[in-house]
Amino acid sequence: MTAVGTDLAANPLSVGMARTVAPEPCAFVIFGASGDLTSRKLLPALYALWHDMLLPARFAVVGVSRGDMDDAAFREKARAAVAEFGRVKPDGESWRAFSECLTYVGGDIGDAQTFERLREHLKKADTERGTAGNRVYYLAVPPSVFPPLIKKLGDAGMVEHAERPYTRVVIEKPFGHDLRSAKALNEELKQTLVEDQVFRMDHYLGKETVQNLFVFRFANSLFEPVWNRNLIDHVQITVAEPIGVEGRGAFYEESGILRDIVQNHMMQLLSLVGMEPPGRFTANEVRDEKVKLLRSVHIPMAEDVERIAVRGQYGPGAIAGKEVVGYRQEPGVAPDSVIETYAALRLEIDNWRWAGVPFFLRAGKRLPKRVTEIAVQFRAVPHLPFAERAARAEPCVLVLRIQPDEGISLRFAAKVPGFRIAVQSVKMDFRYGTSFGVEPPEAYERLILDCLLGDSTLFARADEVEAAWTLMDPILAWWGAHRPGDFPNYEAGTWGPAAAARVFRGENRAWRRP
């Protein structure tokens, strides 16, 4: 099947964007079908893929949850979710055909009878929908449920280890709470599944600019030769959100931003920026290089933590002119909570390419704007022959914007028009929307399609998860043993605590203003 729209065909910049895919027939089972993730992300992504003719005709979506629904109610719930949250809205014949794929099995996932009913339901789907015994189980449930649910699938004879028919299981982050629990989770998964069957979903890896890092670095002879300690001064990775915990106070009290954002999303971005070129673009070769990079990051010692890591918690303030409460006033949050809603880190990579180049990471809630970016700061030139006239020139910086406006910009020095030499920094901008004339697919669309195709390149492997936790554990341990005395230490609507500058150690560096 091919998805080629007329706008794509007319745009010369979009050559190669059309993708011919052939996922095999499959039953896509969603555990937690009545939950928020299913409504906001999974059902809209599945319908967008169907609408764009990227799913097999012989396809079934089976929702499983405790909710009291029949097939008709599940279809109506799905239509409402796609209408509210979908990139592609429900549309006539396309929606009618998709809705026929949707069925529902009610029951508690702690009850073995639920799995017996589901097994019979899937056999029926094989007969009526032609799904050929292939299964994708999407676990849109709390992480604590992953091991027992997968074990019940195995006990019910619903996991195939043969290449055909296949069984794949998708789990959402967080993958553990620390290194010990991550290892325990991986061991529990191994009791029922082999590693190639486990697809650990981190939606950041489905974003267009994140994927474009591969192409940008390894398909352009201009950039890869300068992607090292010789010409790069430092790298800053920022994940900023103006929202607070959005009613998830109880969840955040158990996680904090280091676990929620840094350990997974930001470690993925770090590995993609710093990894060596893989020999081939295959799942294991790409992930091998990512793991090698993460294992090269200097593991913080307890005595290092105060110098390389700063934590913060937002107090009352204003976002876009609207007064907001502090973290400790959020529902579900302890009035004396010491959970961090901001983290800034300085990480060093002990390898030939990056020795001496610090990577600065920061993530925060209730910051002034929503932005995720990677900024590669190049070194200043060693000598300016017109230095007295170049006061406004700054070193080159390359910025990869992950969200909200996906694209890439390059800042460099240029001469100001006129009769004398005056230097000023200017920018070249590339934006996906304007350059290609089409809206990129949502991250969940790309990742679900990759799972259906059996391509695990953009999914985390067990050793990758453990390598990231190895870096975070010493920081979490030190923070757990030393209660902060200054929380809250930044006002909502600001760029975080003043102490975040400490990671620069008095060097001639500072946090960028995205």
Side-chain angles (χ1 to χ4, degrees):
M1 284 178 272
T2 308
V4 183
T6 55
D7 54 345
L8 257 164
N11 185 349
L13 287 175
S14 65
V15 172
M17 286 182 66
R19 181 180 179 188
T20 301
V21 296
E24 296 181 38
C26 174
F28 192 95
V29 181
I30 304 174
F31 289 99
S34 60
D36 195 55
L37 175 64
T38 300
S39 295
R40 288 178 175 271
K41 297 297 183 182
L42 304 186
L43 291 170
L46 287 166
Y47 176 62
L49 292 171
W50 179 272
H51 181 274
D52 292 344
M53 299 171 59
L54 294 170
L55 293 181
R58 293 184 289 162
F59 190 68
V61 178
V62 181
V64 182
S65 73
R66 287 179 295 181
D68 185 16
M69 285 189 283
D70 57 15
D71 292 351
F74 182 51
R75 289 166 182 167
E76 186 54 41
K77 172 185 170 63
R79 184 182 182 90
V82 172
E84 182 175 1
F85 302 113
R87 177 180 66 86
V88 180
K89 304 303 180 185
D91 175 33
E93 177 59 26
S94 175
W95 175 259
R96 186 200 64 76
F98 178 71
S99 68
E100 291 179 356
C101 301
L102 304 175
T103 56
Y104 183 80
V105 174
D108 192 320
I109 56 179
D111 183 357
Q113 290 302 312
T114 300
F115 292 85
E116 291 299 321
R117 290 196 301 274
L118 177 60
R119 184 174 62 179
E120 294 306 311
H121 192 92
L122 290 172
K123 286 181 179 178
K124 185 178 178 181
D126 287 339
T127 301
E128 297 182 357
R129 299 289 306 177
T131 49
N134 294 323
R135 310 282 188 253
V136 170
Y137 300 113
Y138 201 113
L139 275 53
V141 294
S144 60
V145 180
F146 295 164
L149 196 161
I150 291 171
K151 183 177 186 302
K152 283 187 169 60
L153 286 171
D155 292 345
M158 299 169 67
V159 173
E160 297 283 352
H161 290 112
E163 186 175 342
R164 296 292 181 276
Y166 67 72
T167 299
R168 297 167 190 153
V169 176
V170 184
I171 62 176
E172 287 263 351
K173 66 97 176 171
F175 314 120
H177 191 71
D178 51 21
L179 179 60
R180 181 194 59 77
S181 59
K183 286 183 173 181
L185 173 61
N186 287 333
E187 286 301 316
E188 289 177 300
L189 297 181
K190 286 179 186 177
Q191 303 306 309
T192 305
L193 306 167
V194 297
E195 177 62 30
D196 287 348
Q197 293 179 294
V198 182
F199 287 69
R200 296 173 185 82
M201 168 79 79
D202 184 337
H203 71 274
Y204 261 53
L205 289 181
K207 292 182 179 293
E208 201 67 46
T209 309
V210 174
Q211 298 169 50
N212 195 45
L213 263 171
F214 290 116
V215 177
F216 182 82
R217 286 192 56 194
F218 304 133
N220 293 296
S221 61
L222 176 64
F223 294 106
E224 185 58 22
V226 302
W227 210 259
N228 54 56
R229 61 189 175 88
N230 296 323
L231 290 174
I232 292 177
D233 179 79
H234 70 276
V235 178
Q236 292 189 25
I237 304 176
T238 298
V239 177
E241 296 180 319
I243 60 173
V245 293
E246 299 293 285
R248 299 191 306 154
F251 164 77
Y252 237 73
E253 284 291 272
E254 296 182 1
S255 63
I257 206 159
L258 202 72
R259 290 184 170 98
D260 185 39
I261 299 292
V262 179
Q263 183 275 332
N264 39 71
H265 299 334
M266 300 193 80
M267 288 298 100
Q268 290 290 342
L269 297 180
L270 172 70
S271 63
L272 292 175
V273 172
M275 63 183 275
E276 294 299 318
R280 294 175 301 162
F281 194 71
T282 65
N284 278 330
E285 290 192 44
V286 168
R287 295 188 294 182
D288 285 346
E289 296 300 337
K290 288 168 67 181
V291 171
K292 283 165 58 178
L293 187 282
L294 290 173
R295 288 174 175 168
S296 296
V297 179
H298 182 75
I299 300 174
M301 299 293 104
E303 58 270 21
D304 298 330
V305 172
E306 233 181 335
R307 295 184 299 108
I308 67 142
V310 174
R311 54 183 159 168
Q313 185 189 92
Y314 66 83
I319 300 287
K322 180 182 177 182
E323 296 293 322
V324 296
V325 301
Y327 175 73
R328 291 178 175 183
Q329 288 77 54
E330 299 275 12
V333 173
D336 59 348
S337 172
V338 293
I339 292 299
E340 81 284 353
T341 61
Y342 177 98
L345 307 181
R346 177 191 183 118
L347 298 178
E348 308 271 354
I349 299 175
D350 299 329
N351 67 15
W352 189 275
R353 182 186 290 264
W354 296 113
V357 178
F359 282 67
F360 300 103
L361 282 59
R362 61 174 166 171
K365 297 283 190 182
R366 288 296 189 204
L367 301 187
K369 64 172 70 172
R370 174 176 174 258
V371 60
T372 299
E373 68 168 34
I374 301 166
V376 179
Q377 178 71 65
F378 292 92
R379 297 188 185 279
V381 295
H383 171 68
L384 274 175
F386 32 80
E388 71 281 0
R389 301 173 185 174
R392 298 183 65 185
E394 301 174 19
C396 297
V397 61
L398 179 73
V399 179
L400 299 108
R401 293 187 303 272
I402 311 300
Q403 61 182 14
D405 300 315
E406 293 183 290
I408 301 171
S409 69
L410 176 65
R411 187 185 73 198
F412 60 96
K415 178 187 175 295
V416 177
F419 295 104
R420 54 190 292 274
I421 292 182
V423 180
Q424 184 170 314
S425 291
V426 296
K427 280 203 311 183
M428 288 195 305
D429 253 336
F430 155 69
R431 296 189 180 216
Y432 278 92
T434 55
S435 293
F436 292 106
V438 293
E439 185 181 3
E442 294 287 340
Y444 275 85
E445 296 171 32
R446 167 63 189 264
L447 294 171
I448 287 173
L449 181 58
D450 280 357
C451 177
L452 292 173
L453 293 168
D455 183 352
S456 55
T457 304
L458 298 178
F459 294 84
R461 204 168 59 190
D463 54 351
E464 196 175 336
V465 171
E466 293 176 13
W469 276 120
T470 299
L471 299 173
M472 296 299 106
D473 255 20
I475 300 171
L476 289 166
W478 196 91
W479 283 357
H482 298 80
R483 184 182 178 90
D486 60 348
F487 275 13
N489 60 357
Y490 70 97
E491 187 177 321
T494 65
W495 280 104
R502 190 170 70 225
V503 298
F504 296 109
R505 300 177 184 171
E507 302 156 339
N508 188 27
R509 298 182 177 115
W511 289 113
R512 282 173 42 81
R513 182 64 59 92

